[in-house]
Amino acid sequence: NPAVDIMDNDDHIAITAEIPGVDKKDISVDVKDRVLTLGGERSSDNEVKEDHFCRRERTFGKFERSFTLPAAIDPDNIKAEYKDDVLKIEVPKPEGHKPRQISVQ
C-alpha cells in the first residue's frame, strides 16, 4: 500500500500518495458515493527466474487504498496530478461544508 498524507484545508481535502516505480497509466482514482479509491499496479522491472537474491524488499502487484470523504462532493471537480512518483489529489469541499469566520461582538 502506498504511504499517504491527508490534509483537511479550508476549501479542499488534499491527498498525497508516494507511488514510486508506477507508470501514470497504471494508476486509477475513482469516486463512488463518498468513497475515493486509489488503485494501481506496480510491475516488476524484469522477471528473474534464478534464486540468487540476498534480499528482496520491493513489492510488485496490485494495490488499493480507499478513503471515506466527509461530505458529498462533486467528482467532476476532483483534480489529480502524478509527478516525480508522487500522486496529488485535490478534493474541493462543497460550499456548505467550508469553514466560515464568525465575528465576535
Side-chain angles (χ1 to χ4, degrees):
N1 288 332
V4 176
D5 294 334
I6 301 174
M7 291 184 60
D8 188 356
N9 297 315
D10 289 340
D11 60 347
H12 69 279
I13 296 168
I15 301 171
T16 305
E18 291 181 353
I19 313 175
V22 177
D23 195 283
K24 181 169 45 173
K25 67 177 177 53
D26 295 327
I27 298 172
S28 66
V29 178
D30 302 309
V31 176
K32 184 174 181 182
D33 298 324
R34 290 180 37 215
V35 178
L36 183 138
T37 303
L38 159 64
E41 185 167 3
R42 182 176 291 118
S43 58
S44 176
D45 294 341
N46 54 17
E47 187 175 329
V48 177
K49 296 184 185 210
E50 303 165 6
D51 293 326
H52 295 291
F53 283 103
C54 291
R55 177 180 228 150
R56 187 173 198 160
E57 293 183 350
R58 296 184 305 145
T59 59
F60 302 99
K62 293 185 180 187
F63 59 86
E64 183 175 282
R65 298 279 311 260
S66 294
F67 309 96
T68 301
L69 301 172
I73 50 95
D74 183 2
D76 294 332
N77 291 329
I78 296 175
K79 297 175 186 170
E81 177 186 29
Y82 185 62
K83 183 178 178 183
D84 298 329
D85 294 336
V86 176
L87 176 65
K88 295 181 180 181
I89 303 170
E90 187 174 296
V91 182
K93 292 181 182 178
E95 286 296 323
H97 294 282
K98 293 181 183 175
R100 191 175 69 144
Q101 182 68 39
I102 299 171
S103 62
V104 178
Q105 299 180 3

